[in-house]
Amino acid sequence: MGFARACSVALVGVEGVVVEVQADLEAGVAAFTLVGLPDKSLVESRDRVRAAVVNSGAEWPQKKLTVGLSPASVPKGGSGFDLAVACAVLGAAERIDPASIADVVMIGELGLDGRVRPVRGVLPAVLAAAEAGYRQVVVPERTAGEAALVPGVSVLGVRSLRQLIAVLCEEPVPDERAAHHEGRPDTMGAGLMVPGAGIGTGLARAGQSDGNPPDLADVAGQALPRKALEVAAAGGHHLLLSGPPGAGKTMLAERLPAILPTLTRKESLEVTAVHSVAGILPPGEPLVARPPYCAPHHSATMQSLIGGGNGLPRPGAVSLAHRGILFLDEAPEFSVRALDALRQPLESGHVVVARSAGVVRLPARFLMVLAANPCPCGRYSLSGAGCECPPAAVRRYQARLSGPLLDRVDLRVLVDPVRRQDLMGQGGRGESTASVAVRVREARARAADRLAGTAWSSNSEVPGHELRTRLVAAPGALMEAERDMERGLLTARGLDRVLRVAWTVADLRGADRPDASDVAVALELRTGISRGALTNTGAS
């Protein structure tokens, strides 16, 4: 009787669980039994592994073979267990030393010819292995760069099972590169990206374009929305752009990612892990360094926005936009259920999706930008434009953005039609993306210094209790906000969000703490009621 074990990782959402793959050989009729709650794709690994072992020059044991995946209570799926199953079987057959694979985590799919194909979710899998104390991992060569992002882990990238056997047995390592003929298409990266996943979610990365990246200077006029865009980027505040068609709402939103600062190392790992699991991590780009930009179509279902699918839930648009921007163009055209489902992640920074197969917690800390027309035809706010929408239709249309959802939006800006002199360039070009991005980085740096040693990195994350007790505004600065709260113009949540925006406005002008003018700017950006504060800053 022979026994050997190797390790692999089962992904539950974007979190991994180390799985021990045990192989047991005993006398009896030749059979291959796989136990441990595998799904259909994992059950099929029996045929893949057998063919890969034989075609790699090793002998398949003609005994009763049982492969167990422990812990057996955790659902397991995907083809990433193939490499661990094959090595455990070869260890039990004494083709390789069982001790050499006992504490090695192996992730990869096997082709029938023995080649090791890449799989999705390598980064979160290696992160889970490192947290569990494992220090050696074997992954497909194509994803070795992704696995190497995890510090303290020795990564071996292999192209074939034959190559791995040679390394484990200290035999001459065959040159698998010679097996690939020049000029023949390489299909090894086909498993990394799910077809249409990025397109279906409207996902793009900052600065990604066919030609020159969009510049904020291309936006004609719109001084107030540009100011709101800068404040949103500097503090991570949610933004609503409301106005008639053609005013430039989408142009403004598309230029927001470029003024955001680059991701920190920790944030990059979080974003890369989500994109790796979702199958939208481009080959050759193991680390996402820029904030993602996700703009789903208004026909998107609640599952595609929040996360879901058959079996264990998969990341939705809110998770793909983690540490980046979620842009909902034509926001009132989204289903009311889908919009209201955003309320939890907007507050908590994560989403919990419960299905019969299990409960998954997915990261979802994003900057939300909503763009909306004032009525179904879009001409309601234009004088003399001929809006024929009945008042009831206008009310129904505007009510699709519910009060609780709008209460979580910090900045609500009306985007007026572009004036002729601005459109024809007679008013001069506005500031470029580069100049605005410098101020945003400086404001973010001030907030990071102030919040050093806490769990928060931007003003939008600071709880209201901290803003009222430890991070206190200047004396008398909140008088106008308190009056608005007494009049019913602000809720308790709204007051906290006004305070957060006021801190961001103060950071942008280099002040130590917000004063009455900063709070007035924050109130005007939230309520839309003119208080003269933005006029004094040159935003109108």
Side-chain angles (χ1 to χ4, degrees), residues 246-443:
K249 302 186 294 294
T250 303
M251 283 187 68
L252 287 163
E254 289 175 344
R255 282 149 180 79
L256 179 57
I259 66 176
L260 288 175
T262 56
L263 301 175
T264 64
R265 175 75 176 186
K266 180 175 179 294
E267 293 170 345
S268 293
L269 290 176
E270 293 175 3
V271 174
T272 304
V274 175
H275 290 196
S276 177
V277 169
I280 56 175
L281 191 64
E285 187 179 335
L287 186 66
V288 179
R290 294 290 304 171
Y293 175 82
C294 192
H297 191 260
H298 61 255
S299 61
T301 62
M302 187 174 72
Q303 288 75 18
S304 66
L305 277 178
I306 305 303
N310 297 327
L312 286 173
R314 299 188 61 79
V318 296
S319 296
L320 300 181
H322 180 60
R323 300 296 181 183
I325 296 168
L326 178 67
F327 176 48
L328 303 183
D329 200 4
E330 306 293 347
E333 299 294 339
F334 284 79
S335 72
V336 175
R337 288 183 65 239
L339 289 173
D340 285 340
L342 296 173
R343 286 150 57 176
Q344 180 209 356
L346 286 176
E347 284 291 318
S348 61
H350 64 265
V351 60
V352 178
V353 184
R355 295 290 185 270
S356 59
V359 179
V360 172
R361 184 180 186 271
L362 301 168
R365 187 170 297 281
F366 54 89
L367 192 165
M368 182 180 69
V369 180
L370 303 174
N373 294 328
C375 68
C377 76
R379 300 190 295 269
Y380 177 72
S381 59
L382 300 177
S383 59
C387 174
E388 298 179 353
C389 299
V394 175
R395 286 195 300 270
R396 283 196 303 269
Y397 187 80
Q398 296 179 350
R400 294 178 69 87
L401 299 178
S402 65
L405 176 64
L406 291 179
D407 199 35
R408 291 163 167 83
V409 178
D410 305 330
L411 313 172
R412 308 173 193 173
V413 179
L414 179 62
V415 184
D416 294 321
V418 182
R419 298 178 301 178
R420 177 184 57 83
Q421 57 266 36
D422 291 327
L423 188 62
M424 303 307 295
Q426 299 172 7
R429 285 170 61 89
E431 283 187 292
S432 66
T433 294
S435 59
V436 176
V438 170
R439 291 199 300 270
V440 169
R441 286 197 300 269
E442 292 173 351

